[in-house]
Amino acid sequence: MPVKSYSRPKPPEQSRLTDRLASEWAEQTEAAEPVILEETTRDGIVHVFVVWSDWASLTREQRGEIIMDAAERVKSKDQLLKITIAMGLTPDEADRFGITWR
Amino acid sequence: MPLRAFVKANPETLSDFLLAADDRYREAEELLLAEEYDGCVYLLGYAAEMWLKKSAITLDGGRPNAVVKDALAKLQDKMSTAVPPIAKRDWHDLSYFVECVLRLRDDAGKPLPLDFERELRQQISDGLDVDWAVAMRYRRCALKGPDAWKALGNAWWMKTNWTRLII
């Protein structure tokens, strides 16, 4: 019996949001959202917080996956390895986290 | 969404761990200042545990969005079949995760400098892992100031050095 590798297909919504985030990240348009916050620590580690209403129905894991998939398209491998936090939040969640993003 | 339902629907990721580690550490400092030493040490152990798990999972290829529970299962599989295998006492075994980090770095051809490896063992395997246990939540330990300051030193080392484990 053949053994094939299998990975769960991503919901179409996830692919669409990944495309959109990568595009916003690369072009840095004036769109109100998503808001991409990159915090670089003293030791060069990068925390990425993305505030976006559109992913309210997605889990934290899915949002983080979208951020990392988008980052893979716009960052070098070295930059990518320095990202240790990829946190996707809605505006309400970001406010609760005490993140200044507006 | 109520907290329990939210937690169930959103299993912890590595990103959650890093934010929580910073939070628990900061809360532990507050408890130290308030001379609440049992609670202080209790939280410091968890903070160090999260930084260690983050380091081991990252070295094992986990991205920041990785679900910790799944990534730990994968790590355990790898370590249990490694030669020689690395076994854990439980999921809060700080020494186990120290050994995982060291093994994964060796396997990647990037062993830690010996003096740094020695520090890691002193601070965690011979330090916090000796002076902290999850079971302390169910009892009064009557820890003293020096106990808490020692644990703070161990956890502070982890807080300020964990990124060196993954670079």
Side-chain angles (χ1 to χ4, degrees):
Chain A
M1 184 183 293
V3 178
K4 299 177 181 176
S5 66
Y6 172 78
S7 52
R8 247 179 318 181
K10 293 174 185 173
E13 175 77 348
Q14 196 165 329
S15 300
R16 186 181 68 77
L17 291 175
T18 304
D19 292 343
R20 170 97 188 278
L21 182 61
S23 166
E24 291 290 341
W25 214 336
E27 294 165 24
Q28 301 187 17
T29 69
E30 295 299 315
E33 289 185 28
V35 176
I36 303 164
L37 305 166
E38 293 185 46
E39 175 191 30
T40 304
T41 66
R42 271 181 307 178
D43 45 8
I45 292 295
V46 177
H47 300 165
V48 178
F49 296 90
V50 178
V51 185
W52 205 359
S53 304
D54 288 11
W55 56 23
S57 63
L58 301 185
T59 64
R60 289 271 175 85
E61 179 196 1
Q62 289 169 323
R63 298 175 195 175
E65 192 170 6
I66 288 169
I67 293 170
M68 291 309 294
D69 287 348
E72 275 182 7
R73 297 189 202 169
V74 299
K75 303 279 186 188
S76 69
K77 193 176 175 190
D78 276 355
Q79 290 172 318
L80 203 61
L81 291 174
K82 289 181 177 163
I83 299 176
T84 60
I85 292 178
M87 181 65 70
L89 302 165
T90 62
D92 282 352
E93 291 166 349
D95 290 340
R96 278 208 303 275
F97 268 51
I99 293 173
T100 307
W101 64 278
R102 290 178 199 278
Chain B
M1 188 186 291
L3 182 64
R4 186 180 300 279
F6 176 81
V7 167
K8 190 174 179 191
N10 293 274
E12 294 89 9
T13 64
L14 287 182
S15 297
D16 288 315
F17 255 40
L18 282 190
L19 293 174
D22 278 340
D23 288 350
R24 297 298 87 77
Y25 182 89
R26 193 180 60 252
E27 290 158 5
E29 285 183 322
E30 293 297 320
L31 289 173
L32 180 63
L33 293 175
E35 301 182 355
E36 298 287 359
Y37 302 126
D38 284 10
C40 167
V41 173
Y42 181 59
L43 294 184
L44 289 172
Y46 279 117
E49 178 190 313
M50 287 188 275
W51 284 312
L52 260 179
K53 285 180 173 172
K54 159 72 182 175
S55 302
I57 292 170
T58 299
L59 289 170
D60 196 31
R63 300 200 305 179
N65 59 294
V67 171
V68 173
K69 190 178 174 190
D70 298 343
L72 285 177
K74 174 173 169 267
L75 178 70
Q76 179 184 239
D77 282 349
K78 181 182 277 189
M79 291 299 132
S80 64
T81 55
V83 183
I86 300 176
K88 67 181 189 317
R89 186 177 60 229
D90 54 42
W91 282 117
H92 305 285
D93 183 347
L94 302 184
S95 299
Y96 168 75
F97 290 104
V98 167
E99 297 310 314
C100 289
V101 165
L102 296 173
R103 179 69 62 84
L104 289 164
R105 289 205 56 120
D106 284 348
D107 289 352
K110 297 189 296 184
L112 288 181
L114 280 178
D115 56 343
F116 189 51
E117 178 182 329
R118 195 160 43 240
E119 269 185 62
L120 173 62
R121 288 187 197 279
Q122 279 173 354
Q123 298 287 341
I124 304 301
S125 306
D126 302 330
L128 206 49
D129 197 31
V130 176
D131 298 322
W132 171 77
V134 168
M136 66 188 293
R137 65 188 159 183
Y138 293 128
R139 65 186 70 200
R140 178 180 289 174
C141 300
L143 296 178
K144 304 294 182 193
D147 303 320
W149 280 102
K150 181 169 180 279
L152 184 79
N154 295 147
W156 180 84
W157 186 92
M158 197 65 223
K159 176 180 170 62
T160 53
N161 283 285
W162 75 266
T163 56
R164 290 177 64 195
L165 300 177
I166 62 169
I167 290 172

